[in-house]
Amino acid sequence: MTVNKEELTEGSGEHDGYVPSQRRLDRERYQRARARRATAIGALSTLVTGAVLYLVVVNAPGWPRTKETFFDWEYAREAFPKVLEGLWLNVRLLLVCGAAVLVLGMLIAVARTLRGPVFFPLRVLAAAYTDFFRGLPLIINLMIVVLGVPALRLQGVTVDPVLLGGTALTLTYSAYVAEVFRAGIESVHPSQRAAARSLGLSNRQALRYVVLPQAVRRQVPPLLNDLVSLQKDTGLVSIGGAVDAVRAADIIAGRSLNYTPYIIAGLVFVALTIPMTRFTDWVTARMDRRRAQGGVT
């Protein structure tokens, strides 16, 4: 039996397009309807909750005084440009301290994972550093560095509260980031290092080209979370007199005895933090999907 090639081509072309079954169409229609119903219920419950909270707040006995003290439009309009001007200092601190924290944290993490008895003192110092600065409250660290260092009157040592505050932030956050990096390094299976050594790489090359790239890639979400926290804590440098967003709000509030500028400063920090938080969630979800699909993490 001979079959014409053109007949095969035409016959196969008729069945190239996939036609879903009626059962699948019904199931997809049901899922869309269920999703619309869930969205409507969620929106309705959100509106009801918001309305209840609004009524509870505005009907509170002290609401008129609270509104005047914390939500005054005139003071908000006065504070907003000055808070934005001070926010530029917070952004610069985030960029500089964030880079310094990543570098110092990586060095400390590598020091804690070095092998061999000759590196024992280095491992002890790195562990002592992380234990001390993770246990020391950030606000106390800032007071010690920002207020204590100038009191020593050391020659050649800066007394700039911005630089000293950035140093304190770097010291504290480096300890947290070092532990994140160390967890990533130790999560890489020893066979990866052994395979690199079998290919002729030295211990340093195996660490640089094989272990660290995998460790950093796995720890991106917690690293981003630490940067989000650092972004908020840059406002603490104001305790040394640096005029950032928080200090700018504090100056206006101290002069007017109205706390609306603090609300403005808080909202500005929230607006700055939300994009980084959403980006962190997106990166985490993306890595989880790749891990579930068997991709490289």
Side-chain angles (χ1 to χ4, degrees), residues 84-183:
L84 281 184
E85 184 180 352
L87 185 67
W88 175 233
L89 174 60
N90 298 103
V91 173
R92 284 181 292 168
L93 278 172
L94 172 65
L95 296 176
V96 175
C97 294
V101 162
L102 291 176
V103 174
L104 183 57
M106 174 65 75
L107 293 176
I108 296 170
V110 171
R112 290 203 64 179
T113 57
L114 291 176
R115 301 177 180 180
V118 69
F119 296 114
F120 176 76
L122 194 58
R123 291 196 298 269
V124 170
L125 289 176
Y129 178 94
T130 56
D131 291 343
F132 179 78
F133 283 104
R134 289 176 71 197
L136 183 68
L138 176 58
I139 188 68
I140 295 180
N141 185 18
L142 280 163
M143 289 180 178
I144 292 173
V145 176
V146 175
L147 304 178
V149 172
L152 295 175
R153 299 181 181 179
L154 298 174
Q155 294 294 328
V157 177
T158 182
V159 294
D160 187 346
V162 176
L163 296 178
L164 293 176
T167 301
L169 290 171
T170 302
L171 290 173
T172 295
Y173 273 90
S174 295
Y176 289 99
V177 170
E179 288 300 283
V180 173
F181 278 132
R182 186 170 72 93

Side-chain angles (χ1 to χ4, degrees), residues 189-270:
H189 198 274
S191 62
Q192 297 288 318
R193 190 188 296 265
R197 297 285 289 132
S198 68
L199 293 175
L201 274 67
S202 63
N203 283 324
R204 186 177 65 180
Q205 291 173 329
L207 180 66
R208 177 181 177 184
Y209 296 110
V210 178
V211 177
L212 287 183
Q214 297 183 62
V216 173
R217 188 161 53 243
R218 295 178 180 181
Q219 299 303 105
V220 166
L223 287 174
L224 290 175
N225 282 325
D226 284 336
L227 289 180
V228 170
S229 298
L230 175 62
Q231 178 177 292
K232 295 182 298 182
D233 286 340
T234 55
L236 295 176
V237 299
S238 60
I239 66 173
V243 183
D244 67 329
V246 177
R247 182 59 178 167
D250 185 59
I251 292 173
I252 300 175
R255 183 180 67 246
S256 62
L257 298 180
N258 187 283
Y259 300 135
T260 303
Y262 290 131
I263 301 297
I264 298 300
L267 292 177
V268 167
F269 272 102
V270 169

